[in-house]
Amino acid sequence: MTYTGIPASPGIAVGPIHVIARGFSAPEIYEISEEDVVDERARFDEAVAGTKKQLNDLQERLESLSGNADSEIFEAHVMLLEDNNLLSKVSEAIASRLQNAEYAFYAVMQNFLEAMRRIPDPYLRERTADIEDVCQRVLRNFKVDLDFDYETPDDTHILLAYDLSPSDTASMNRRHLLGFATEQGSINSHTSILARSFGIPAVVGLGASVIQVTALTPAVIDGYAGKLVLNPTPETLAGYAALASEKEKQRTELDAMRDEATETLDGHKVTLSANIEFLEELHEVKRSGAKGVGLYRTEFLLLNGSEMPDEAEQTAAYTKVAKEVAPDLIIVRTLDAGGDKLPVEPLTEPEPNPFLGWRGIRVSLSRPAMFRDQLRAVLRASHHGKIAVMFPLVSGLSELLAAREALKRCMDELDAEGVPFDPKLPVGVMIEVPSAAICADILAPHVDFFSIGTNDLIQYTVAVDRVNPHVAKLYRPTHPAVIRLIGKTVEAGSEHGIWTGVCGEMAGDIRLTPLLIGLGVEELSVSPKIVPKVGQVIRSLDFAQCKATAKEALRMSGSAAIMDLTLAVARERYPDLLD
Ligand code: PEP
Ligand code: MG
């Protein structure tokens, strides 16, 4: 059985399946008043109806893909949600115990599961996984944030999950983890970005229900083609072994060239730097031959708690990066919490559209004390290496000026305290909101560089949520609007004498390198793992040809045609490096 999803992180993993559908913690419990009973019951009905609809949709999809046999799984799930005995038990519990609907449902289901687990029949015992699955789906429809409860097996394994949040992925014990596959997810979610940083082969957005796969089923994750293969035949395994060794050979060859200059055949220099989320990635940055860190995503410091570490701890972290990467530059991006990433503090009301909400610089500007800690830490660390700072999700000049002012205040304070820092610390702005790209000429006089965050720039330009698999097909890096915005940004930057880089995932997509370089992008910041490959890509290109390609692309009307155009150059110049 082969499932195809989105190739989220390259590599081949072979091993037994471990499913983490099970073992989730209880939702929050609170007391309700008698008048609330009707409303709570209505919430329960709504969550059940929503789940049934999702299951029906899944069933229809599966039927159209692979016939009736598999879709019976969902029929059983739907039947469970139509079990009057169970439904009325929840209704009763809400009224008699005066508990919130999600908790009442959870408690009833736990009792039911307990009873099931005691049944000696192994077939029925197996069905508990289905019930747990339904239970989780209903809880998700209540918008309960299910805690990740991932007990690491002691043996190596491939993880299957409904979905993984970036914090799940970041906090997993990776010692025994060979790879993972999820039903949900998309290529530019932070979960996928982390998988690539960690070098864990991953497939996301399978769209099919895989969390009922029996534990220990032998499987292969093909992170190049986005496949999950269950019970692979010996021939399939041999094929993957050959592919893995071919990729390994290529990697060794590329590693050997990592110190060569990153300039095109006709002598045009491009800075190639690395994106990092964690200090542990620093050794990989050095190993890769990257020229510094082009994006340090500091929001991952939130992983150890729900608050940013204090000024001293942050100073220590940034100093460590700066010292290790010296004499090259590190660009510290100020906190970019929110969206699909870790929240900086729990909001009283969940946001209906988190990507359009409280994230990036908006959070920092509304939490001056927290912002001050971070800026002071960056400044203090700048005394020990070469550091720049940049601000995420800036949508216009006023936010940029407010951020700059906050930085200036911190500089004045440190001056008064006699604390040394780099007074010429370069300041950049991320261009990742279309309004910022369109107004790049207005922003340029106030910064030392632009770094284009294409992951967000694409999602906001074409109005496609970067983590929503339902609209993933519309997420097109080569959309003419995206290409034009990148071109416009570079142009505004060069008119004002500042450089423009790209630190979004487009920078590491080697099909697009001819186009980006041709558009005049001077720096590419990519996952450390692929630095050697992108370096070789740059060395294989001809700048004059890239410029001609970009010029033509800017006149084209369709994303597919633009992709074909840049891909043709990539195929001509480095066919062996394309996956
Ligand atoms: C981007 O949006 O392209 C970017 C680099 O930032 P992040 O992926 O962290 O939002
Ligand atoms: Mg971004």
Side-chain angles (χ1 to χ4, degrees):
M1 182 85 189
T2 299
Y3 296 91
T4 305
I6 300 164
S9 176
I12 303 293
V14 180
I17 292 291
H18 176 73
V19 184
I20 54 156
R22 289 137 229 217
F24 44 91
S25 53
E28 195 195 348
I29 175 170
Y30 53 87
E31 204 177 314
I32 58 163
S33 66
E34 288 197 3
E35 294 88 78
D36 291 338
V37 168
V38 176
D39 285 350
E40 286 301 297
R41 284 179 168 161
R43 284 181 61 231
F44 174 56
D45 290 344
E46 213 177 291
V48 169
T51 312
K52 272 165 62 177
K53 175 161 184 336
Q54 288 158 0
L55 288 168
N56 284 326
D57 289 351
L58 262 174
Q59 184 170 330
E60 266 171 35
R61 261 190 79 179
L62 214 71
E63 262 166 16
S64 66
L65 286 174
S66 60
N68 275 329
D70 298 311
S71 64
E72 278 167 16
I73 303 167
F74 295 117
E75 258 164 47
H77 287 189
V78 173
M79 267 161 66
L80 188 80
L81 291 176
E82 285 170 348
D83 180 336
N84 280 331
N85 185 20
L86 205 76
L87 299 181
S88 57
K89 271 201 176 121
V90 179
S91 256
E92 267 166 47
I94 294 174
S96 62
R97 297 195 211 135
L98 292 177
Q99 284 171 343
N100 53 316
E102 49 275 65
Y103 188 84
F105 168 72
Y106 172 82
V108 168
M109 293 305 280
Q110 288 307 309
N111 278 337
F112 185 45
L113 281 165
E114 264 319 296
M116 291 279 292
R117 286 190 192 106
R118 276 188 242 117
I119 299 176
D121 180 341
Y123 174 78
L124 283 178
R125 261 207 323 268
E126 278 260 312
R127 298 275 67 80
T128 57
D130 291 348
I131 298 165
E132 280 168 335
D133 182 20
V134 178
C135 189
Q136 287 200 36
R137 285 183 198 274
V138 174
L139 288 174
R140 280 203 175 87
N141 276 304
F142 272 117
K143 304 263 181 300
V144 170
D145 195 11
L146 295 176
D147 264 358
F148 184 66
D149 184 6
Y150 169 41
E151 280 169 34
T152 327
D154 286 336
D155 298 314
T156 51
H157 61 278
I158 284 172
L159 190 69
L160 291 192
Y162 172 79
D163 198 8
L164 294 171
S165 72
S167 55
D168 296 336
T169 313
S171 53
M172 279 184 215
N173 181 341
R174 297 190 292 279
R175 198 145 59 97
H176 301 300
L177 181 68
L178 300 167
F180 68 78
T182 60
E183 293 182 20
Q184 299 290 304
S186 64
I187 196 156
N188 286 317
S189 70
H190 287 89
T191 296
S192 300
I193 291 174
L194 286 178
R196 293 194 282 276
S197 301
F198 295 147
I200 304 170
V203 179
V204 299
L206 286 167
S209 182
V210 291
I211 55 178
Q212 29 263 326
V213 171
T214 312
L216 301 181
T217 304
V220 177
I221 298 262
D222 175 354
Y224 299 106
K227 289 189 192 307
L228 164 70
V229 187
L230 299 178
N231 295 309
T233 61
E235 293 77 47
T236 304
L237 285 174
Y240 278 121
L243 179 64
S245 79
E246 185 193 315
K247 295 283 179 191
E248 186 51 38
K249 185 166 157 265
Q250 186 186 72
R251 206 175 85 101
T252 318
E253 283 166 10
L254 289 171
D255 277 359
M257 294 186 284
R258 66 178 170 229
D259 293 326
E260 288 181 20
T262 48
E263 61 179 54
T264 60
L265 294 166
D266 48 348
H268 173 74
K269 288 192 177 52
V270 178
T271 305
L272 178 58
S273 49
N275 292 351
I276 62 163
E277 288 81 29
F278 301 102
L279 298 181
E280 298 91 85
E281 290 172 274
L282 280 173
H283 74 274
E284 191 69 34
V285 173
K286 285 205 277 187
R287 204 197 60 84
S288 72
K291 269 279 176 222
V293 169
L295 167 65
Y296 178 14
R297 287 186 165 99
T298 57
E299 53 277 7
F300 285 90
L301 289 168
L302 281 168
L303 260 190
N304 299 328
S306 58
E307 278 177 29
M308 277 299 265
D310 64 16
E311 181 184 323
E313 272 179 79
Q314 287 189 58
T315 306
Y318 308 151
T319 304
K320 186 170 163 58
V321 184
K323 278 189 174 162
E324 296 222 7
V325 174
D328 295 325
L329 178 73
I330 71 157
I331 303 177
V332 179
R333 176 175 75 183
T334 61
L335 180 75
D336 183 16
D340 69 328
K341 278 181 281 200
L342 308 143
V344 66
E345 63 189 62
L347 295 170
T348 40
E349 292 280 320
E351 292 184 285
N353 292 303
F355 275 111
L356 297 180
W358 201 51
R359 73 166 285 218
I361 197 67
R362 301 164 187 185
V363 173
S364 296
L365 291 176
S366 62
R367 292 290 178 271
M370 186 185 73
F371 196 30
R372 173 174 172 265
D373 279 351
Q374 181 162 38
L375 294 174
R376 282 176 60 104
V378 172
L379 286 166
R380 294 174 77 150
S382 71
H383 181 60
H384 304 283
K386 219 164 136 194
I387 296 194
V389 69
M390 70 177 172
F391 306 116
L393 213 81
V394 166
S395 61
L397 184 61
S398 57
E399 282 166 331
L400 174 60
L401 293 182
R404 288 219 63 142
E405 239 167 70
L407 181 68
K408 173 78 173 59
R409 275 196 299 275
C410 292
M411 285 181 163
D412 292 346
E413 276 174 24
L414 292 175
D415 253 343
E417 292 163 27
V419 177
F421 64 90
D422 174 8
K424 293 210 168 64
L425 176 104
V427 177
V429 64
M430 285 197 71
I431 301 292
E432 52 182 351
V433 181
S435 57
I438 293 166
C439 298
D441 59 322
I442 299 176
L443 303 177
H446 303 277
V447 285
D448 301 298
F449 63 92
F450 286 148
S451 186
I452 306 179
T454 48
N455 306 338
D456 282 314
L457 186 63
I458 299 167
Q459 81 163 344
Y460 295 126
T461 302
V462 295
V464 172
D465 180 345
R466 65 194 258 190
V467 298
N468 183 342
H470 299 296
V471 285
K473 280 209 181 76
L474 292 171
Y475 186 95
R476 297 196 185 119
T478 52
H479 191 293
V482 174
I483 301 306
R484 286 169 188 215
L485 288 178
I486 296 174
K488 220 174 146 43
T489 304
V490 173
E491 205 179 286
S494 84
E495 272 166 18
H496 288 85
I498 64 170
W499 60 265
T500 299
V502 171
C503 64
E505 296 302 294
M506 261 177 99
D509 183 340
I510 61 170
R511 297 171 305 172
L512 307 175
T513 323
L515 185 57
L516 291 180
I517 292 185
L519 285 168
V521 168
E522 287 148 278
E523 179 235 29
L524 296 172
S525 193
V526 306
S527 159
K529 291 261 188 297
I530 56 167
V531 163
K533 188 195 266 188
V534 178
Q536 184 55 20
V537 162
I538 296 169
R539 288 187 288 273
S540 313
L541 286 168
D542 177 81
F543 187 45
Q545 184 187 30
C546 293
K547 277 198 290 194
T549 306
K551 202 168 162 196
E552 201 178 335
L554 286 170
R555 282 197 299 259
M556 293 175 104
S557 53
S559 50
I562 298 176
M563 179 57 95
D564 286 347
L565 182 74
T566 178
L567 194 53
V569 180
R571 287 205 177 111
E572 174 198 330
R573 297 279 164 178
Y574 41 86
D576 299 347
L577 298 179
L578 293 159
D579 282 333

